[in-house]
Amino acid sequence: MKIKIKKMHPDAKMPSYALTGDVGLDMFSGETTCVLQPGERKNFFCGFALEFPIGYAAIIKDKSGMANKGMH
């Protein structure tokens, strides 16, 4: 499968695998600091756009240990 990635901001850090064999790519926000309160939502600027073949989608999931424990 080919996923097209377009850099939309010159300072954007592109998605990458942290370790060989990883299933998912790590994404990085273009924002420096943000504190979310429990239950709060926010759109984060990542600086790139993705295009997938028809029938495919991306799943973006938090992997923070604090978020998994419901801490803030």
Side-chain angles (χ1 to χ4, degrees), residues 55-66:
Y56 290 87
I59 297 173
I60 299 174
K61 186 177 176 189
D62 187 332
K63 70 173 194 172
S64 165
M66 289 186 355

Side-chain angles (χ1 to χ4, degrees), residues 29-34:
S29 172
E31 301 177 34
T32 54
T33 304
C34 180

Side-chain angles (χ1 to χ4, degrees), residues 20-45:
T20 303
D22 280 354
V23 176
L25 296 162
D26 289 342
M27 291 177 49
F28 307 90
S29 172
E31 301 177 34
T32 54
T33 304
C34 180
V35 176
L36 296 177
Q37 298 303 315
E40 186 178 4
R41 296 177 183 212
K42 178 179 177 13
N43 291 324
F44 288 91
F45 176 72

